[in-house]
Amino acid sequence: MLGGGHLPGALAQQPVPARRQHLPLDSIRLSDPFILADARTHTYYMTGTGGLLWQSKDLKSWDGPTPVAQPDPTSWMGPRPMIWAAEIHSYKGKYYYYATFTNKALTADTVQGKPLERRASHVLRSDQPAGPYRPFGDATYLPANKLTLDGTFWVDKDGKPYLVYCHEWLQNQNGTVERIALKPDLSGTQGPAQVLFRASDSPWSRENPRTGSARPNKVTDGPWVFRTKTGRLGMLWTSWIYDVYTQGVAYSASGTLAGPWQQEPAPITPPNYGHGMLFRTFEGKDLLVLHSHLDVKGNYHRVPRLFEADLSGDKLVIGKPYGIKN
């Protein structure tokens, strides 16, 4: 099973396709889709794994892709890092690019005799939502020997910004979702990390070990923090039920990132969808974007999909597909 549910390395960083106009959403191949509805430009910006960007005015017709990430080639990332699960967040007049960077030339750790390439969540910055996004802060946000991925951004009830991310199951053998405080200007992290929950906390995830009975899956993937209109704090995250990519959700009993986090007993989307995030359209409609997951002769075929989302109650309720033929 692949770490974090992402594409194999050989497929994660392909040459940039030719830029096109008026692409329908379901013609785009993209893992871990993220959509920023930017009020300043009245434009939707979509990114994800691969470090590319698409733009749309109506969520139906998309222009792109264009490369937008410009990490420092002399940094630990190297000249051609793999880029996974990028997100764009607007904060205090700037735009921040949260992504997982992997340098296959560096070994971060060795677990059970297997070398693990260096992989970490990091943050780039731009004055514009379309980038380019460049380094602006600390050389690292998380320890060099810790494999982290799928970083996202949240400002908690205390008004402080946090980086929420996964600690890779390939290293700790039971993937976690963790938080660490960010500096006020987001240029680095500060203080210790806190484990929020582990993959094995999920009542629905499953895997078949080589010996013995089925057990909880090890993968934590794609955390996304949200608040319902009643004020309840929730978190989307993804794992697997055997070979089925699966979207789940948890809720914080305290209403803060500190938790404790309580897992919902069942997934919230149809099978083989995952790595979701929520956004609001310019017309005020809440939507979930995530990718469909199809294994075609050993190759993952992933396409962004939209679903209606209802946040009016104490729990997120996912509705029918939105804007495209199912």
Side-chain angles (χ1 to χ4, degrees):
M1 182 174 295
L2 296 171
H6 293 279
L7 289 168
L11 298 178
Q13 293 299 108
Q14 297 177 341
V16 178
R19 181 177 170 83
R20 296 171 59 192
Q21 293 184 316
H22 311 305
L23 287 164
L25 185 65
D26 59 1
S27 73
I28 298 172
R29 290 278 301 272
L30 180 66
S31 293
D32 316 322
F34 176 97
I35 294 177
L36 170 70
D38 184 59
R40 194 171 82 181
T41 59
H42 204 77
T43 301
Y44 298 103
Y45 298 89
M46 181 171 68
T47 187
T49 285
L52 304 177
L53 188 75
W54 289 258
Q55 300 183 35
S56 175
K57 293 292 186 180
D58 59 6
L59 295 175
K60 298 176 182 178
S61 177
W62 294 84
D63 298 343
T66 55
V68 292
Q70 295 183 3
D72 180 1
T74 68
S75 72
W76 68 265
M77 300 176 195
R80 290 182 57 83
M82 292 165 50
I83 302 174
W84 287 356
E87 300 184 358
I88 297 172
H89 294 267
S90 175
Y91 186 67
K92 295 185 176 180
K94 300 282 188 180
Y95 295 87
Y96 296 87
Y97 190 87
Y98 289 71
T100 305
F101 298 90
T102 299
N103 185 344
K104 296 175 70 69
L106 296 181
T107 297
D109 195 5
T110 300
V111 176
Q112 297 178 352
K114 180 180 179 180
L116 302 177
E117 58 206 18
R118 186 162 177 190
R119 177 179 305 139
S121 296
H122 200 84
V123 185
L124 309 179
R125 186 178 68 184
S126 178
D127 292 329
Q128 305 295 331
Y133 289 89
R134 299 186 177 99
F136 72 102
D138 292 352
T140 60
Y141 277 68
L142 293 158
N145 62 350
K146 185 174 183 177
L147 271 68
T148 58
L149 68 159
D150 293 357
T152 189
F153 177 63
W154 184 253
V155 178
D156 215 351
K157 279 187 173 181
D158 58 8
K160 296 178 180 178
Y162 289 87
L163 177 66
V164 178
Y165 61 91
C166 298
H167 184 188
E168 177 71 88
W169 73 272
L170 289 169
Q171 185 174 37
N172 64 17
Q173 300 301 298
N174 187 4
T176 60
V177 173
E178 305 182 3
R179 72 161 186 179
I180 191 168
L182 287 161
K183 295 177 180 178
D185 63 357
L186 313 188
S187 63
T189 56
Q190 53 188 358
Q194 176 196 359
V195 174
L196 304 183
F197 58 85
R198 294 174 170 82
S200 60
D201 293 341
S202 166
W204 48 262
S205 72
R206 291 289 182 273
E207 70 176 21
N208 280 322
R210 292 181 178 177
T211 59
S213 58
R215 62 191 180 197
N217 203 281
K218 301 182 182 74
V219 172
T220 50
D221 178 47
W224 174 261
V225 187
F226 65 92
R227 200 175 290 279
T228 68
K229 293 177 183 176
T230 63
R232 195 176 189 197
L233 190 69
M235 188 186 304
L236 293 166
W237 70 287
T238 301
S239 191
W240 298 77
I241 300 177
Y242 304 118
D243 61 345
V244 177
Y245 199 52
T246 304
Q247 180 72 72
V249 66
Y251 292 96
S252 170
S254 68
T256 71
L257 282 180
W261 288 87
Q262 300 167 342
Q263 303 293 329
E264 287 292 281
I268 61 167
T269 62
N272 278 319
Y273 288 87
H275 203 111
M277 60 83 61
L278 298 162
F279 70 99
R280 183 165 294 170
T281 70
F282 297 126
E283 294 73 37
K285 189 174 188 64
D286 290 314
L287 296 178
L288 170 75
V289 63
L290 71 178
H291 66 246
S292 58
H293 174 90
L294 181 65
D295 189 335
V296 181
K297 296 181 179 180
N299 292 318
Y300 288 166
H301 183 92
R302 290 178 165 180
V303 176
R305 304 289 186 182
L306 295 171
F307 283 82
E308 295 182 357
D310 183 356
L311 290 162
S312 62
D314 276 344
K315 291 186 177 182
L316 168 66
V317 177
I318 302 304
K320 62 184 180 181
Y322 174 84
I324 60 172
K325 294 179 181 180
N326 193 23

